[in-house]
Amino acid sequence: MSSLKLIATAKAMVAPGKGILAIDESNNTCNNRFEKLGIAPTEENRRTYRELLLTTPGLGNYINGAILYDETIRQTTKDGTPFVKVMNDAGIIVGIKVDTGVKGLPNHPGEKITQGLDDLSNRIAEYVKMGARFAKWRAVITIGKEIPSRDCIEANAQALARYALLCQQGGLVPIVEPEVLMDGNHTLKRCYVVTEEILGTVFDQLHLQGVVLEQIILKPNMVISGKDCPQQASVPEVAEATVKCLLNVVPTAVQGVAFLSGGQSNELATAHLNEMHVRFGSKLPWPLTFSFGRAVQQPALELWKVQDANVKAAQTALLHRAKCNGAASLGMYTQEMERSAELALAGYRALQSQLSSQD
């Protein structure tokens, strides 16, 4: 893909009012989520679930692109239509996760380094032939006592930059994802300091390796209190800290910013994104949108339960969360949108209960 095409793809990935759907969980992660809901962790169930998501009517109205896993990009619908074709027909850009997971960073207890640079060029070439137009690589940063270390930050930033350069050379737009985890009892202030340091280091490395910033999408965490912090920051506080951090360290040349949800509840992740636009929309030099996984698809997974009769309700729930986040990316999300969905779902459940009792 030429430089101009990479820029055009990156722009399309953050088109106004839409976001990126992350359905790139590894097989093990997907299986774990299935098992928690009593769903058998089989390849066919994973395929069927992905089909449910990608064939949701109207999904392309709120989703610009979707990140797939290696297994998923090779799969088809029940009638044999490749998922890649389903996405292309819906106007959803095909993305692919190219890192191969994390392992412990040697001599640094509690810290991780992402793997996958070996043979990455060849895998990129294969994915491009399969129809992928962008990729994702996730680095994981943990906040704890005396961590993250400088070694961990630099090692992950270097890997992210090397991945991004290989993607651009191979014809894929790279999503650069340095995630500061919510796990822990750290404060909003501590998260801010760590997030600013990791982002600053990542952009230093991107510059050193010659990565073209106009051809990347940044996928950062929001600046937020740790899950176990006794003092949880308010929605306005999170919005202010996050935007301030990004303005301090993210170059204006970056094509767009698409947040990860990072374990936030569905509605809270949406509210945070919306507040950023309501308060700071006119000051943002880049599009600010979402690249959520669980915060978009979890309600659909919980409704599905491998029952054909539940597919419509699951797709409705998925589309609702995509619509809410699309609205949030414009500063137009309201609680009334949530209440309307709750009423519709309650009506569906009542109908299902009535039909079951008649059987």
Side-chain angles (χ1 to χ4, degrees):
M1 194 183 297
S2 70
S3 176
L4 291 178
K5 287 185 177 179
L6 286 172
I7 291 174
T9 297
K11 285 183 177 179
M13 290 166 61
V14 289
K18 300 182 182 182
I20 299 166
L21 177 62
I23 52 174
D24 59 321
E25 303 95 339
S26 69
N27 290 346
N28 285 338
T29 299
C30 189
N31 289 344
N32 288 338
R33 292 178 184 170
F34 278 8
E35 289 176 329
K36 288 178 181 179
L37 296 171
I39 299 171
T42 66
E43 179 179 354
E44 177 56 21
N45 279 344
R46 292 194 300 270
R47 188 208 63 75
T48 303
Y49 177 58
R50 301 307 187 201
E51 178 176 350
L52 178 156
L53 298 177
L54 293 173
T55 59
T56 295
L59 187 62
N61 293 330
Y62 310 106
I63 297 295
N64 288 315
I67 312 167
L68 308 181
Y69 186 60
D70 181 79
E71 177 183 76
T72 314
I73 198 172
R74 304 173 191 278
Q75 290 177 323
T76 68
T77 62
K78 190 174 182 179
D79 67 8
T81 305
F83 283 165
V84 170
K85 184 178 187 307
V86 171
M87 294 172 65
N88 287 333
D89 290 347
I92 298 172
I93 303 169
V94 179
I96 182 69
K97 169 187 167 75
V98 296
D99 71 72
T100 57
V102 299
K103 67 175 181 179
L105 183 64
N107 297 323
H108 289 78
E111 299 192 286
K112 306 289 184 181
I113 182 69
T114 304
Q115 305 176 87
L117 288 175
D118 293 345
D119 201 36
L120 180 55
S121 293
N122 291 334
R123 290 189 288 118
I124 287 171
E126 179 186 14
Y127 290 135
V128 168
K129 289 181 180 178
M130 297 172 70
R133 293 169 57 193
F134 72 92
K136 192 204 84 166
W137 177 290
R138 174 178 177 251
V140 176
I141 305 296
T142 301
I143 297 178
K145 186 178 180 181
E146 299 183 355
I147 62 172
S149 66
R150 189 63 199 168
D151 285 348
C152 176
I153 291 173
E154 290 183 354
N156 278 289
Q158 289 167 3
L160 277 167
R162 182 61 180 161
Y163 139 81
L165 181 61
L166 290 173
C167 281
Q168 291 182 345
Q169 291 176 340
L172 294 177
V173 170
I175 289 183
V176 175
E177 181 179 357
E179 179 179 2
V180 178
L181 298 176
M182 283 180 62
D183 300 336
N185 61 1
H186 52 272
T187 62
L188 176 80
K189 183 177 180 180
R190 175 71 172 138
C191 182
Y192 182 100
V193 170
V194 172
T195 301
E196 187 174 62
E197 182 178 5
I198 181 65
L199 288 177
T201 306
V202 165
F203 282 105
D204 285 344
Q205 287 297 324
L206 291 171
H207 174 72
L208 287 172
Q209 300 221 25
V211 174
V212 181
L213 297 186
E214 291 85 353
Q215 299 173 10
I216 75 167
I217 302 298
L218 177 67
K219 183 175 178 177
N221 55 280
M222 297 179 189
V223 177
I224 195 167
S225 311
K227 286 192 296 187
D228 299 324
C229 180
Q231 183 62 46
Q232 290 292 309
S234 66
V235 170
E237 287 172 333
V238 169
E240 182 174 359
T242 301
V243 172
K244 180 182 177 181
C245 182
L246 295 180
L247 290 174
N248 281 348
V249 293
V250 179
T252 58
V254 170
Q255 200 61 246
V257 177
F259 289 108
L260 56 90
S261 53
Q264 300 178 64
S265 68
N266 306 331
E267 294 184 23
L268 190 58
T270 307
H272 284 147
L273 176 60
N274 186 72
E275 187 72 8
M276 292 178 208
H277 280 277
V278 170
R279 300 188 65 188
F280 305 104
S282 62
K283 300 179 181 179
L284 301 173
W286 359 252
L288 205 62
T289 187
F290 64 96
S291 179
F292 296 164
R294 279 171 291 177
V296 173
Q297 59 167 295
Q298 188 64 25
L301 177 59
E302 292 174 359
L303 284 167
W304 173 50
K305 300 177 182 177
V306 205
Q307 299 294 320
D308 290 344
N310 294 338
V311 168
K312 183 177 180 180
Q315 291 181 329
T316 299
L318 175 75
L319 194 66
H320 167 67
R321 290 258 52 91
K323 181 178 180 179
C324 285
N325 286 300
S329 71
L330 299 171
M332 299 174 64
Y333 167 72
T334 66
Q335 278 300 308
E336 182 58 37
M337 296 175 69
E338 301 290 0
R339 287 191 287 271
S340 297
E342 289 171 2
L343 289 172
L345 183 57
Y348 168 80
R349 285 173 170 161
L351 177 60
Q352 286 295 94
S353 177
Q354 181 181 355
L355 293 174
S356 297
S357 63
Q358 289 175 356
D359 291 342

